[in-house]
Amino acid sequence: ILEGDLSINKKILDEFRTEEGKLYEIPVRFQVPMIFVAEETMTNFSTIADLNRYMEGNPEIPLFSELTAENMVDIGYRFFFTDLFEEDGTIQEKNLGRFLDDMKEFASLAGFVDTTQREFSYTDEEPWDTLLFGEASMVVKNVSGLTDVQSVLDACLQCGGGYSIAGGKFIPVGRLAISQNTSYQEIAEDFLKTILSTDIQTMDFKDGFPVSVEAMGRWNQYQSDMSVMIGNENGQEITAGCATPEQISAFLDCIEGAEQKFIVNETLFDIVKQSTVEYLKGSIGREQAISEIQNTLSIYNEE
């Protein structure tokens, strides 16, 4: 079905093939972790080590606005260190120590606070004004559609900024599969074809980008008369309209460059996050953090 008349993104299909080349499931849509920066030359950041090198040479403007240790670990894992877990949920032990080391240096260079009035959220509204008014150099966001960026994209480009995909990754949303033993094979196939049809995929449900190539092409015709005005506490203002067709086309081309799936398992990440935060705050040492993470993950996987 998937390799028939449906025009499904080949990069996404290939990421779901088994070693034998077979396909058993497909995401309905996909989201993309994105990095927005104050200068286009900064779009080559891809690792925490890149961030650390930048902060060492550019201490005057912080990369981010105020962050807690928890915020830092979120940023590090979701946008700059996406190879911590294997597909089956087991941790890549050789990468765990490097993750802790990189995060420790990141925390030392950037600094963190116990609490902040502006909690970091990788899905909800971001503090775009800190980027646009020169208070910070970077904003990260899990982008799920053009409505996430339709005006701030224009504002970001107005200010000489740029954007890139975090690690070339995409996050699958809503997987589809047909049970081998189903009594309703034809109905299941019809449902799958409907969900993946160009007409349905073209609709923007704000839950992700279409896996249909044809539908993604139609998103190039996106138009809106919406505009926004972003201001800060000092009275500075930036007005931005919807991104131009050329800006939208370039943005969608960038999105389609995502070619590796990134599975975000919140339960596993929370186990890593808890001990990493304690390590950053100095409550435990490096080896204890590694031991706690490995032991807790081992117990969780066994259960």
Side-chain angles (χ1 to χ4, degrees):
I1 296 173
L2 293 176
E3 299 185 287
D5 296 332
L6 297 173
S7 62
I8 306 301
N9 186 318
K10 185 178 184 300
K11 293 177 181 177
I12 290 178
L13 280 183
D14 287 346
E15 281 294 289
F16 282 85
R17 293 187 189 277
T18 65
E19 292 183 358
E20 295 78 27
K22 295 184 177 182
L23 285 162
Y24 292 102
E25 62 177 355
I26 183 71
V28 179
R29 293 178 182 265
F30 67 99
Q31 300 175 353
V32 183
M34 304 264 325
I35 305 164
F36 295 85
V37 291
E39 299 175 20
E40 195 170 357
T41 55
M42 297 168 62
T43 54
N44 58 351
F45 289 164
S46 59
T47 66
I48 305 173
D50 291 336
L51 303 185
N52 293 339
R53 282 192 292 271
Y54 175 82
M55 285 189 288
E56 286 177 341
N58 301 271
E60 61 280 359
I61 300 179
L63 274 179
F64 298 95
S65 54
E66 280 190 336
L67 297 174
T68 64
E70 290 80 4
N71 297 155
M72 284 186 166
V73 180
D74 271 331
I75 290 173
Y77 169 65
R78 301 179 191 279
F79 297 90
F80 297 99
F81 208 106
T82 55
D83 297 319
L84 202 54
F85 293 101
E86 301 283 3
E87 178 77 9
D88 61 3
T90 57
I91 197 162
Q92 295 193 31
E93 295 185 13
K94 64 179 181 180
N95 287 344
L96 177 56
R98 184 159 59 89
F99 175 71
L100 291 174
D101 293 341
D102 286 347
M103 288 305 307
K104 188 72 167 181
E105 185 177 1
F106 182 32
S108 174
L109 289 166
F112 58 85
V113 296
D114 291 332
T115 58
T116 175
Q117 293 182 340
R118 205 168 202 172
E119 280 298 313
F120 167 78
S121 169
Y122 76 101
T123 55
D124 298 327
E125 192 64 31
E126 294 298 332
W128 295 103
D129 55 323
T130 63
L131 178 70
L132 301 176
F133 296 112
E135 299 168 25
S137 303
M138 184 175 294
V139 164
V140 291
K141 183 173 180 61
N142 190 34
V143 178
S144 59
L146 291 174
T147 50
D148 278 351
V149 295
Q150 62 177 341
S151 294
V152 293
L153 176 60
D154 181 46
C156 181
L157 296 176
Q158 276 187 49
C159 297
Y163 54 84
S164 61
I165 299 171
K169 307 283 186 178
F170 69 86
I171 301 171
V173 177
R175 300 189 187 195
L176 286 177
I178 298 177
S179 170
Q180 183 177 4
N181 299 320
T182 181
S183 301
Y184 305 98
Q185 179 81 17
E186 292 184 5
I187 294 175
E189 290 181 6
D190 287 343
F191 177 74
L192 185 148
K193 291 175 183 177
T194 300
I195 294 297
L196 296 179
S197 67
T198 301
D199 287 343
I200 297 296
Q201 287 278 301
T202 301
M203 297 180 184
D204 183 5
F205 295 111
K206 302 177 178 61
D207 58 347
F209 293 91
V211 295
S212 163
V213 174
E214 188 175 343
M216 184 71 95
R218 292 188 186 181
W219 278 35
N220 271 305
Q221 280 80 55
Y222 179 87
Q223 290 184 338
S224 172
D225 57 2
M226 177 180 174
S227 64
V228 297
M229 183 175 68
I230 302 174
N232 67 1
E233 59 187 13
N234 297 321
Q236 294 174 285
E237 295 178 353
I238 291 178
T239 301
C242 181
T244 66
E246 292 76 19
Q247 289 172 338
I248 289 175
S249 179
F251 184 76
L252 291 176
D253 285 345
C254 175
I255 293 295
E256 290 190 274
E259 54 188 14
Q260 284 186 293
K261 66 175 178 291
F262 175 34
I263 307 299
V264 182
N265 186 315
E266 299 294 350
T267 302
L268 298 181
F269 172 56
D270 284 344
I271 292 172
V272 174
K273 181 177 179 179
Q274 181 177 350
S275 294
T276 303
V277 167
E278 291 181 11
Y279 173 55
L280 297 186
K281 292 181 176 181
S283 303
I284 60 176
R286 180 182 185 275
E287 298 310 312
Q288 184 179 347
I290 291 176
S291 177
E292 286 185 0
I293 291 170
Q294 291 175 332
N295 290 339
T296 308
L297 287 174
S298 177
I299 294 171
Y300 173 79
N301 287 329
E302 286 178 6
E303 291 180 348

